Amino acid sequence: MLSVELRQQRAGFALDISFEAPAGVTVLFGGSGAGKTTVVNAVAGLERPETGRVALNGRVLFDLERGIWLAPHRRRIGYIFQEGRLFPHLTVRQNLLFGRWFAPKGAAREDLERIVAMLGIGPLMARHPGSLSGGEKQRVAIGRALLSSPDLILADEPLAALDDPRKEEILPYFERLRDEVKIPMLYVSHAATEVARLATTVVVLKDGKVQRQGSAAEVLGDASVMPTGVRAAGALLQARLLRHHTDGLSELEAGGISLFLPQVMQQVGSQLRVRILAQDVILSRQKPEGLSALNILPGEIEQIRGGTGPGAMVTLKTDAGRVLARITRRSAQALELAPGVSCYAVVKSVAIARSDVSGEARSDTPG
Amino acid sequence: MLSVELRQQRAGFALDISFEAPAGVTVLFGGSGAGKTTVVNAVAGLERPETGRVALNGRVLFDLERGIWLAPHRRRIGYIFQEGRLFPHLTVRQNLLFGRWFAPKGAAREDLERIVAMLGIGPLMARHPGSLSGGEKQRVAIGRALLSSPDLILADEPLAALDDPRKEEILPYFERLRDEVKIPMLYVSHAATEVARLATTVVVLKDGKVQRQGSAAEVLGDASVMPTGVRAAGALLQARLLRHHTDGLSELEAGGISLFLPQVMQQVGSQLRVRILAQDVILSRQKPEGLSALNILPGEIEQIRGGTGPGAMVTLKTDAGRVLARITRRSAQALELAPGVSCYAVVKSVAIARSDVSGEARSDTPG
Amino acid sequence: GSAALAADVTVFAAASLKNALEDIRKEFEAETDYTVALSLAGSSLLARQIALGAPADIYLPASADWMDYLEAAGRLVPGSRKDLLGNRLVLIAPQSVAQSISGFDDPRLFEQLGEGKLAMGLLDAVPAGIYGQEALQSLGLWSRLAPQVAQTDNVRAALALIAAAEAPLGIVYASDARADPRVVVLAEFPEGSHDPIRYPLAQILPADGPAVAAFHTYLQGRVAREIFLSAGFDVIAE
Amino acid sequence: MNWLGPEEWQAVALSLKVSIWASLLSLPFGIFVAYALARWEFAGKQLLNGLVHLPLILPPVVTGYLLLLAFGTQGALGGFLQQFGIILAFRWTGAALAAAIMGFPLMVRAIRLSIEAVDPKLEQAAATLGANRFWAFATVTLPLILPGVIAGTILAFAKAMGEFGATITFVSNIPGQTQTLPSAIYAFLQVPGGESAALRLVLISVGIAMSALILSELLARRASKRLGGT
Amino acid sequence: MNWLGPEEWQAVALSLKVSIWASLLSLPFGIFVAYALARWEFAGKQLLNGLVHLPLILPPVVTGYLLLLAFGTQGALGGFLQQFGIILAFRWTGAALAAAIMGFPLMVRAIRLSIEAVDPKLEQAAATLGANRFWAFATVTLPLILPGVIAGTILAFAKAMGEFGATITFVSNIPGQTQTLPSAIYAFLQVPGGESAALRLVLISVGIAMSALILSELLARRASKRLGGT
Ligand SMILES: Nc1ncnc2c1ncn2[C@@H]1O[C@H](COP(=O)(O)OP(=O)(O)OP(=O)(O)O)[C@@H](O)[C@H]1O
Ligand SMILES: Nc1ncnc2c1ncn2[C@@H]1O[C@H](COP(=O)(O)OP(=O)(O)OP(=O)(O)O)[C@@H](O)[C@H]1O
Ligand SMILES: [Mg+2]
Ligand SMILES: [Mg+2]
């Protein structure tokens, strides 16, 4: 467990936060200038705040009121920087093993082979960072942080400098990190996809304050705190993988309702989290027939919120969990939607991107 | 008109291409290492290929067989670099006016005020690049290239280093560039969205060869050449803006069919292009009733292509144009879809992102 | 000297004596089993080094001042100081542009100089410069020549200026002038126009061992005398 | 101050004049050579590099002697320059030349390193905006290497303030013309009892050069603070 | 070769020995001082910077004289060192000290500039991986500044090969003991007919220093080619 308490005054910016990060991945979420990097750097010991206290599993990293300030190299924290910061004069192997030279003798050692296999960087071992692509660099940076046997992993927007295909290439490695390696992680991001896929807990920062803290499902379902706006809002459903069909679809079960998704690379029986974007959901009053969409969830409308724009956000209570639907106000009127009205949510299988499904718990064989 | 002919041999890579770029925006599209940067740099004169010829509006920039090689500063080409490459010691204003010092006396001068207003960088004029955000830097870089009175604009993945919100912030400026400034542009990208929104012509490069060349609609509709895969495939419809409704929706007309979209910031009467992603389209055999989706396009199935995965790509001929739908093979069988069968395409208004609609022709008042 | 490499005798001598002293050293080493090391530099520098404990056994500077300085500092072996050599001061010109003059009252002296420079050692610091100024003053030429004097940090540098014909006139030692074919001697300064030029010799405390005494004596002997004379010095001793 | 005689004040003034001219006049050459060494590949690059460093390697007297042979009134270069009324021998101008040459390696080193730290892609960007090589250099690279240029100039200046061997060999010591501070210091050290006078001059010389160095550090720091990122 | 006498060979050998020791022994100090100047803020930083540059500013004779006063057998430091059997004055060790001090500003400059070019964020990264300051420097910064370290060392070496004024003043000019190449050249230039011998020695000295310089350029280039980006 990580407990953080910080205060810091800068021209035009005041940081004053306090939060506790339980085991798993805590995503620090917030817009530019919210203070995310400041928090992470203080935890790592790279910047000294005015006052505050950070403790990790009971070990005090600093407590400025008591005059305690541990040097960064004594904190045993693996930091994954946005720009990688690989050592250009060392090979990938040497970069990976760098932290090991300095790890205390008794520290539990991550197995190099295992990490290398997990990150798929075996073929790069003899190369220098200068010749790696952005995505490859970040994978090596992840490995390097892991192999220093840290008690906590920090990651400051590790994907921000990458383009979409490369992001998609790295995200699964962070999932594996969460599920296989089980080192607590503080992960800075301002992308909802990353929150949805990785977060156990989300801490939303705004202007140096904690605006909200909660589980990923809670925070993502709340369009008001999503800094990237309404397009990123969506529901997180907990589902269990029932079976893989021969036509390439996977069948999941959530609260007794079947969901069909393009093949999910997980073992039958695993618990999954499925993110369904509000804008991908169609609502229907009658049970739809003859539609190509395979997922139809009956439910009852809980809430309708309209904004200034043409859209309305409908919360539908289904047996699978709450589903958000973003529809036009015109449709809401035409269908006479109101709280208490029962209706159907229609979701295409193919609308659920692979990046919106992720394993919830550790599966024994990585996909 | 730009005509390009290049040959270049490198260890493990051979470039041998020839294409003509008509007026408007030509997007050079292709995966990493396809040779895009090599082409653009040769056109700009920053790298000298082994042999080849490039002519711009009849003016020969180089013709290595005839021993002609114009120095970069004589080519009158505005290059927008991926990393901005602003001059760190100059203010934004000085950066913008840099090219003007060197432009030939008689050159048609872009108006500083107009460009600054267009790019929304008025408040930044006195600042230095070091204090700008990534998106602001790129806007200044665009302005700097424009104000050098170029005959051609080159842009090498100008958005690749930005994250999504910032990309979304810059793309409209490139649209305005295309529509308002009318300087021909060669734009390197590997993002389908950018192709869809900007391209007049697309040149697809693969391993140093031109794999395909055609209009944006042709190339985007072809899943086989989309390097980012099937998820980016979609149709481009030509539509005319009919009216703005009071509930925030805009009504468009395409081949006699009405389309409802979230407010489009264009003048009534403008020609627009609307990209409809194949994965956002639901197919129905009966005319759907009581659905929240507002756009329903009747049509006839032209082709069904199945792959190895669970999906199938259905081409539907509608009065508005060809629409692509990506559905599961299971649905295709359940609905008994086959070429010649008539059915309905269902598209949610809100599924059409603002980034998927763009003005086709010049509109007199920018939004 | 005390290190293993060190020679039996270390001589600190004015650099202008290099050729002669090296010849003498060779003869001396051939005749005896002793070895001699010559440390050649400016007289002032050597004197200061000796005052600060340099391992010198014999000091042979180009002027009496610095010997006086060491004597006052109590560094000399009592009774070992002798004036060993003398020298004469000459007026020289570049061989290529020299006009012959009949004496220091010859007006062609000024023709020869023209607008050019009169090269000589530093007037306050280099012995040849000090003697030269004194001589010109006593000849009544100083006030006319002073504005055109170019001072160098040693006599050889002055000679180099004449040899390169950069300066049309110079004042150097006879011993320097005679060896350089690019210069000609126009006139020799008369005895009495300046203090006698003396190269004093002395042993430095603590002079130990027979080698030092032997070389001290040898420098005053017949062989050394021959060599000094042929190098253009006057030999004073005996 | 009355603890310096008029000749000594003259030496101070002359040393300042010589050092300022030496450092400023060699600057364009220093920048050019540094640029060539940093950015271009050409035959004889190593030779040029060696030549630049020569004054560092040679005993100063030798450098002075070579200067005398080349730039004296009888020397080939000296004779050539004389046709244009430029006389170096026995003039303060010659002292400036000697000081410039002795400081040149220091200047070139400092500037070259700062050029190597500037991304050549910025010059490419300037080229696409219409600037030819010269203007791209003058408007982009030069302002960016200003800290290095300042450092190099001041280093050359400081070196010039202390230069003695080459100067006195080349232009000798003529009070008011070529008697710089180091020559005066040397002269004082040659006579018994001259130490205190020499010390005074040393202090003045060190004071001037140190002030220049500290100034250059401050200027360079300010210049590099003005820049942020690309 | 028989165109050099045994004494001259001795001078060549001694100069090499002195220069190698001078440049290698001052290297750790040079790196430390360069690092302090590049990365730390501390009171007296400008003073340290000035002190480092002092040998550049002072006439070499003055530096040598100050060394003699401090490290001579009568000097405070010299007396102190003598207790440990370290004698510098009039020994080749003293020549090495003088050469080291004269070359120190050059070495520090070169190393400092290359340290400033290394992103301190890389050291931060090393710290998060458990490396303390020393190890972060030794394993990250040091390898990255290798080109600068090589350049600085070779510059100091070249300077040492040419150093004359401070050396002859501090340790005199005793053949086989303290007579370095420049001192031998000087002595030859003081007598008629010595020029050709002096020229031979100059050529040897230049040849050695140039080879070292070219070698350093090649080494530095190879070292920096090994690196690519971050
Ligand atoms: N070194 C600094 N000195 C002064 N102010 C700073 C410094 N670093 C950051 N700030 C300011 O502190 C505030 C918080 O910055 P911080 O970098 O922590 O934000 P962030 O949430 O990481 O933003 P981003 O998403 O842009 O990385 C901002 O207002 C920023 O301008
Ligand atoms: N300077 C160079 N020397 C040798 N090979 C190079 C050089 N620059 C690029 N290449 C190679 O040439 C090929 C084409 O590179 P280019 O940079 O043009 O590709 P690209 O299409 O721009 O790729 P990306 O999308 O990654 O920017 C690649 O195989 C690349 O490795
Ligand atoms: Mg940040
Ligand atoms: Mg590229």
Side-chain angles (χ1 to χ4, degrees):
Chain A
M1 231 217 15
L2 177 75
S3 87
V4 175
E5 229 185 282
L6 286 177
R7 237 160 313 129
Q8 171 85 3
Q9 197 71 38
R10 286 194 187 123
F13 175 76
L15 187 78
D16 185 355
I17 60 156
S18 144
F19 66 87
E20 308 231 311
V25 175
T26 302
V27 173
L28 272 184
F29 190 74
S32 197
K36 308 181 294 296
T37 300
T38 309
V39 171
V40 173
N41 279 348
V43 172
L46 301 182
E47 269 179 57
R48 197 182 186 123
E50 263 143 38
T51 184
R53 180 177 185 284
V54 166
L56 174 60
N57 304 329
R59 190 160 64 96
V60 176
L61 300 185
F62 65 90
D63 184 342
L64 289 170
E65 261 161 32
R66 283 165 55 207
I68 300 174
W69 178 262
L70 228 57
H73 68 276
R74 296 191 193 284
R75 296 197 177 190
R76 311 203 38 196
I77 278 175
Y79 198 140
I80 302 164
F81 299 92
Q82 181 175 325
E83 346 78 75
R85 297 202 198 171
L86 297 182
F87 303 124
H89 58 300
L90 301 180
T91 61
V92 167
R93 159 169 272 116
Q94 291 165 330
N95 266 284
L96 288 171
L97 292 177
F98 188 90
R100 196 165 272 191
W101 304 347
F102 305 107
K105 284 282 166 305
R109 292 204 158 179
E110 280 299 336
D111 182 22
L112 177 67
E113 307 283 292
R114 199 170 80 87
I115 300 285
V116 166
M118 185 182 102
L119 295 167
I121 48 182
L124 312 176
M125 296 298 271
R127 282 164 65 185
H128 279 86
S131 74
L132 300 183
S133 77
E136 290 167 342
K137 274 182 203 166
Q138 271 319 29
R139 265 145 68 194
V140 176
I142 295 171
R144 187 179 67 170
L146 279 180
L147 285 162
S148 68
S149 320
D151 291 343
L152 172 72
I153 298 249
L154 300 177
D156 189 2
E157 307 200 38
L159 308 183
L162 306 178
D163 58 14
D164 287 341
R166 271 158 269 206
K167 270 193 186 116
E168 201 40 62
E169 169 192 330
I170 305 292
L171 256 175
Y173 295 110
F174 275 102
E175 286 172 340
R176 293 198 191 175
L177 216 79
R178 178 192 61 196
D179 300 334
E180 297 177 28
V181 183
K182 305 230 161 164
I183 301 174
M185 176 152 59
L186 197 57
Y187 185 105
V188 169
S189 170
H190 53 230
T193 325
E194 291 169 34
V195 177
R197 286 183 60 169
L198 294 179
T200 317
T201 311
V202 184
V203 176
V204 182
L205 291 192
K206 194 171 177 185
D207 297 334
K209 310 277 173 294
V210 175
Q211 194 192 2
R212 209 184 146 152
Q213 172 164 10
S215 74
E218 281 165 25
V219 174
L220 283 176
D222 185 348
S224 69
V225 297
M226 294 298 298
T228 38
V230 85
R231 289 189 61 82
L236 272 189
L237 300 184
Q238 305 293 338
R240 199 164 55 84
L241 184 52
L242 276 192
R243 65 183 70 89
H244 295 296
H245 288 271
T246 50
D247 60 1
L249 292 179
S250 297
E251 187 176 349
L252 282 70
E253 177 272 320
I257 298 177
S258 282
L259 295 174
F260 289 89
L261 267 58
Q263 186 139 35
V264 175
M265 299 298 189
Q266 297 282 352
Q267 272 208 329
V268 169
S270 355
Q271 286 293 335
L272 301 177
R273 51 163 88 181
V274 179
R275 179 167 176 237
I276 296 176
L277 284 180
Q279 65 171 7
D280 283 339
V281 176
I282 289 177
L283 294 182
S284 170
R285 286 299 295 270
Q286 302 103 288
K287 184 171 166 72
E289 303 282 339
L291 270 191
S292 64
L294 290 175
N295 301 307
I296 291 168
L297 295 82
E300 184 177 293
I301 292 177
E302 191 174 75
Q303 190 189 27
I304 302 183
R305 284 192 308 181
T308 50
M313 186 68 79
V314 179
T315 313
L316 192 72
K317 233 170 105 180
T318 74
D319 290 346
R322 273 188 191 72
V323 171
L324 291 183
R326 193 163 157 262
I327 62 175
T328 57
R329 279 193 280 144
R330 169 174 302 213
S331 301
Q333 277 156 19
L335 299 184
E336 295 174 342
L337 300 183
V341 167
S342 58
C343 70
Y344 296 84
V346 181
V347 187
K348 289 188 68 172
S349 299
V350 293
I352 299 169
R354 201 151 283 173
S355 67
D356 287 327
V357 185
S358 63
E360 177 77 334
R362 175 169 183 153
S363 69
D364 291 317
T365 52
Chain B
M1 233 224 2
L2 176 76
S3 87
V4 175
E5 229 185 280
L6 287 177
R7 236 160 314 132
Q8 172 83 4
Q9 197 71 39
R10 284 192 189 126
F13 175 76
L15 187 79
D16 184 356
I17 59 155
S18 143
F19 65 87
E20 309 230 312
V25 175
T26 302
V27 173
L28 274 185
F29 189 74
S32 196
K36 307 181 294 295
T37 299
T38 309
V39 171
V40 174
N41 279 349
V43 172
L46 302 182
E47 268 179 59
R48 197 183 187 121
E50 263 143 38
T51 183
R53 180 177 184 282
V54 166
L56 174 59
N57 305 330
R59 191 161 63 97
V60 176
L61 299 185
F62 66 88
D63 183 341
L64 289 170
E65 260 160 33
R66 282 164 54 206
I68 301 173
W69 179 263
L70 227 58
H73 68 276
R74 296 192 193 284
R75 296 194 178 190
R76 311 203 37 197
I77 278 175
Y79 199 141
I80 301 164
F81 299 92
Q82 180 175 323
E83 346 79 73
R85 296 200 197 173
L86 297 182
F87 303 125
H89 57 300
L90 302 180
T91 62
V92 167
R93 158 168 274 116
Q94 291 165 329
N95 265 285
L96 288 172
L97 292 177
F98 188 91
R100 198 167 269 190
W101 304 347
F102 305 107
K105 286 281 167 307
R109 292 204 159 181
E110 281 299 335
D111 182 21
L112 177 67
E113 308 283 293
R114 196 169 82 86
I115 300 284
V116 166
M118 182 182 103
L119 295 167
I121 49 182
L124 313 176
M125 296 300 269
R127 285 167 62 186
H128 279 87
S131 73
L132 301 183
S133 77
E136 290 167 343
K137 273 182 201 165
Q138 273 314 31
R139 264 143 70 194
V140 176
I142 296 172
R144 185 179 69 169
L146 279 181
L147 285 162
S148 68
S149 319
D151 292 342
L152 172 72
I153 298 249
L154 300 177
D156 190 1
E157 307 199 39
L159 308 184
L162 306 178
D163 58 13
D164 288 340
R166 271 158 267 207
K167 269 190 187 123
E168 202 41 60
E169 170 193 330
I170 304 293
L171 256 175
Y173 295 110
F174 274 102
E175 287 174 339
R176 292 199 190 172
L177 216 80
R178 179 191 60 196
D179 300 334
E180 297 177 28
V181 182
K182 304 230 162 164
I183 300 174
M185 176 151 58
L186 197 58
Y187 185 105
V188 169
S189 171
H190 53 229
T193 327
E194 291 169 34
V195 177
R197 285 183 59 171
L198 294 178
T200 318
T201 310
V202 184
V203 177
V204 182
L205 291 192
K206 196 173 175 184
D207 298 334
K209 311 276 173 296
V210 175
Q211 195 193 2
R212 212 187 142 145
Q213 172 162 11
S215 74
E218 281 164 24
V219 175
L220 283 176
D222 185 348
S224 69
V225 297
M226 294 299 298
T228 39
V230 86
R231 290 189 60 81
L236 272 189
L237 300 184
Q238 305 294 338
R240 199 163 55 85
L241 184 51
L242 277 192
R243 65 183 68 88
H244 295 296
H245 289 271
T246 51
D247 60 0
L249 292 180
S250 298
E251 186 176 347
L252 283 71
E253 176 272 321
I257 299 175
S258 282
L259 295 175
F260 290 89
L261 267 55
Q263 185 139 35
V264 175
M265 298 296 189
Q266 298 280 353
Q267 273 209 329
V268 169
S270 0
Q271 285 294 332
L272 300 177
R273 52 162 89 182
V274 179
R275 179 165 175 238
I276 296 176
L277 284 181
Q279 65 171 8
D280 283 340
V281 176
I282 289 178
L283 294 181
S284 170
R285 287 298 296 269
Q286 301 102 289
K287 186 170 166 74
E289 304 284 342
L291 271 191
S292 64
L294 289 174
N295 302 305
I296 292 169
L297 294 84
E300 184 176 293
I301 291 177
E302 192 174 75
Q303 192 189 25
I304 304 182
R305 283 191 308 181
T308 51
M313 186 67 81
V314 179
T315 313
L316 192 73
K317 236 171 104 178
T318 74
D319 290 347
R322 270 187 193 71
V323 170
L324 292 184
R326 191 161 159 262
I327 61 174
T328 57
R329 277 192 283 143
R330 171 176 302 214
S331 301
Q333 278 155 20
L335 300 183
E336 297 173 342
L337 300 183
V341 168
S342 58
C343 70
Y344 296 84
V346 181
V347 187
K348 288 187 68 170
S349 299
V350 294
I352 299 168
R354 201 152 281 172
S355 66
D356 289 327
V357 184
S358 63
E360 176 77 333
R362 175 168 183 152
S363 68
D364 290 319
T365 51
Chain C
S2 52
L5 274 174
D8 301 314
V9 189
T10 302
V11 180
F12 274 34
S16 53
L17 296 169
K18 178 179 179 3
N19 287 352
L21 285 178
E22 278 187 340
D23 289 347
I24 294 167
R25 182 192 65 146
K26 274 182 203 132
E27 296 294 329
F28 178 73
E29 285 177 343
E31 283 180 32
T32 68
D33 279 339
Y34 299 129
T35 54
V36 176
L38 300 169
S39 180
L40 302 160
S43 306
S44 63
L45 175 61
L46 296 170
R48 282 183 206 281
Q49 290 176 336
I50 291 169
L52 289 169
D57 300 312
I58 289 175
Y59 179 48
L60 181 48
S63 90
D65 288 352
W66 286 103
M67 192 64 99
D68 296 345
Y69 168 84
L70 286 181
E71 194 159 29
R75 297 306 316 265
L76 305 187
V77 172
S80 68
R81 175 171 177 172
K82 300 212 162 53
D83 283 340
L84 179 64
L85 303 174
N87 212 335
R88 282 146 290 124
L89 218 48
V90 294
L91 185 68
I92 57 168
Q95 203 267 334
S96 50
V97 297
Q99 315 183 8
S100 60
I101 59 167
S102 56
F104 287 99
D105 46 1
D106 189 333
R108 278 176 299 177
L109 175 66
F110 295 101
E111 265 174 51
Q112 169 73 32
L113 183 57
E115 297 294 301
K117 297 292 179 193
L118 169 61
M120 51 198 289
L122 283 168
L123 300 175
D124 303 324
V126 175
I130 299 169
Y131 292 130
Q133 178 177 8
E134 193 185 345
L136 291 175
Q137 276 166 340
S138 72
L139 292 169
L141 294 168
W142 179 246
S143 53
R144 276 192 71 183
L145 292 176
Q148 282 171 270
V149 169
Q151 309 172 44
T152 61
D153 57 328
N154 59 61
V155 181
R156 294 294 305 178
L159 187 73
L161 288 176
I162 313 297
E166 291 297 330
L169 277 182
I171 299 174
V172 299
Y173 292 125
S175 58
D176 289 312
R178 51 176 281 149
D180 196 324
R182 294 167 297 176
V183 305
V184 291
V185 174
L186 297 182
E188 192 173 306
F189 285 89
E191 256 180 68
S193 65
H194 55 85
D195 281 348
I197 300 168
R198 290 294 177 258
Y199 293 68
L201 167 71
Q203 289 180 38
I204 304 300
L205 288 172
D208 50 352
V212 176
F215 193 63
H216 187 248
T217 311
Y218 196 82
L219 282 171
Q220 303 168 54
R222 187 189 50 83
V223 177
R225 179 191 181 88
E226 296 291 312
I227 292 173
F228 282 131
L229 284 175
S230 70
F233 296 97
D234 298 338
V235 179
I236 310 289
E238 257 76 1
Chain D
M1 270 174 275
N2 53 11
W3 49 285
L4 281 191
E7 271 206 5
E8 281 127 56
W9 275 122
Q10 241 181 11
V12 172
L14 186 72
S15 255
L16 271 174
K17 175 160 105 174
V18 162
S19 304
I20 289 172
W21 279 94
S23 47
L24 290 186
L25 273 187
S26 57
L27 189 55
F29 301 97
I31 292 175
F32 180 79
V33 170
Y35 193 85
L37 290 176
R39 287 283 159 87
W40 298 338
E41 287 301 326
F42 53 93
K45 178 168 168 172
Q46 287 306 330
L47 193 72
L48 176 64
N49 189 35
L51 217 62
V52 166
H53 282 91
L54 211 50
L56 205 67
I57 300 162
L58 287 178
V61 181
V62 175
T63 307
Y65 196 64
L66 294 176
L67 283 177
L68 183 65
L69 293 179
F71 288 96
T73 44
Q74 312 295 311
L77 287 167
F80 175 76
L81 289 176
Q82 211 156 16
Q83 296 174 358
F84 307 96
I86 302 173
I87 301 176
L88 296 168
F90 305 114
R91 304 283 171 90
W92 72 268
T93 47
L97 175 67
I101 284 186
M102 294 301 284
F104 203 61
L106 305 177
M107 175 181 275
V108 170
R109 271 265 159 196
I111 299 178
R112 176 181 169 178
L113 280 168
S114 60
I115 291 176
E116 282 170 351
V118 173
D119 191 349
K121 289 181 171 175
L122 287 178
E123 280 184 32
Q124 284 192 349
T128 65
L129 293 165
N132 63 22
R133 281 203 186 190
F134 171 78
W135 281 112
F137 175 77
T139 56
V140 176
T141 313
L142 190 58
L144 288 172
I145 60 171
L146 212 57
V149 169
I150 293 170
T153 312
I154 298 289
L155 271 178
F157 172 84
K159 174 73 195 170
M161 286 298 293
E163 213 305 299
F164 163 64
T167 308
I168 196 166
T169 307
F170 180 30
V171 294
S172 82
N173 177 329
I174 305 167
Q177 283 268 5
T178 62
Q179 185 178 52
T180 58
L181 269 175
S183 302
I185 292 168
Y186 177 80
F188 277 123
L189 284 178
Q190 298 306 300
V191 287
E195 292 86 355
S196 67
L199 182 65
R200 282 203 298 270
L201 293 183
V202 164
L203 288 179
I204 290 180
S205 154
V206 168
I208 292 173
M210 284 290 167
S211 316
L213 269 178
I214 290 177
L215 188 73
S216 85
E217 290 278 333
L218 297 179
L219 283 178
R221 199 180 297 189
R222 183 186 305 177
S224 55
K225 218 173 240 164
R226 264 208 6 245
L227 318 174
T230 324
Chain E
M1 267 173 275
N2 51 12
W3 48 286
L4 282 192
E7 274 204 5
E8 282 123 56
W9 275 122
Q10 252 180 0
V12 172
L14 187 72
S15 256
L16 272 174
K17 176 160 100 172
V18 162
S19 305
I20 289 172
W21 280 95
S23 47
L24 290 186
L25 274 187
S26 58
L27 187 56
F29 302 95
I31 292 175
F32 180 79
V33 170
Y35 193 85
L37 290 175
R39 287 283 158 86
W40 299 338
E41 288 302 325
F42 54 94
K45 178 168 168 171
Q46 286 305 327
L47 193 73
L48 176 63
N49 190 35
L51 217 63
V52 166
H53 281 92
L54 209 52
L56 206 66
I57 300 163
L58 287 178
V61 180
V62 174
T63 307
Y65 194 59
L66 294 176
L67 283 175
L68 189 57
L69 290 177
F71 289 96
T73 42
Q74 333 268 308
L77 286 165
F80 175 75
L81 288 175
Q82 209 156 19
Q83 295 175 358
F84 307 97
I86 300 172
I87 302 174
L88 295 168
F90 310 109
R91 301 286 171 90
W92 73 267
T93 47
L97 176 67
I101 284 184
M102 295 300 285
F104 203 61
L106 304 177
M107 175 183 274
V108 169
R109 272 265 160 199
I111 299 177
R112 176 182 170 176
L113 280 168
S114 61
I115 290 176
E116 283 170 350
V118 172
D119 191 347
K121 290 180 169 176
L122 287 177
E123 280 184 34
Q124 284 192 348
T128 65
L129 292 165
N132 62 21
R133 280 204 188 189
F134 171 78
W135 280 112
F137 174 77
T139 56
V140 175
T141 314
L142 189 58
L144 288 173
I145 60 170
L146 212 58
V149 169
I150 293 170
T153 312
I154 298 287
L155 270 179
F157 173 84
K159 173 73 195 169
M161 286 298 293
E163 213 304 301
F164 163 64
T167 307
I168 199 172
T169 308
F170 183 29
V171 297
S172 193
N173 183 6
I174 307 168
Q177 295 232 41
T178 63
Q179 184 174 61
T180 58
L181 269 176
S183 306
I185 292 167
Y186 162 82
F188 276 119
L189 286 177
Q190 295 307 303
V191 289
E195 288 88 354
S196 68
L199 182 66
R200 282 202 298 270
L201 293 184
V202 165
L203 289 179
I204 289 179
S205 155
V206 168
I208 292 172
M210 286 291 166
S211 316
L213 270 177
I214 290 177
L215 188 72
S216 85
E217 290 278 333
L218 296 180
L219 284 178
R221 196 179 298 188
R222 184 186 306 177
S224 57
K225 217 174 237 164
R226 264 208 4 246
L227 318 175
T230 324

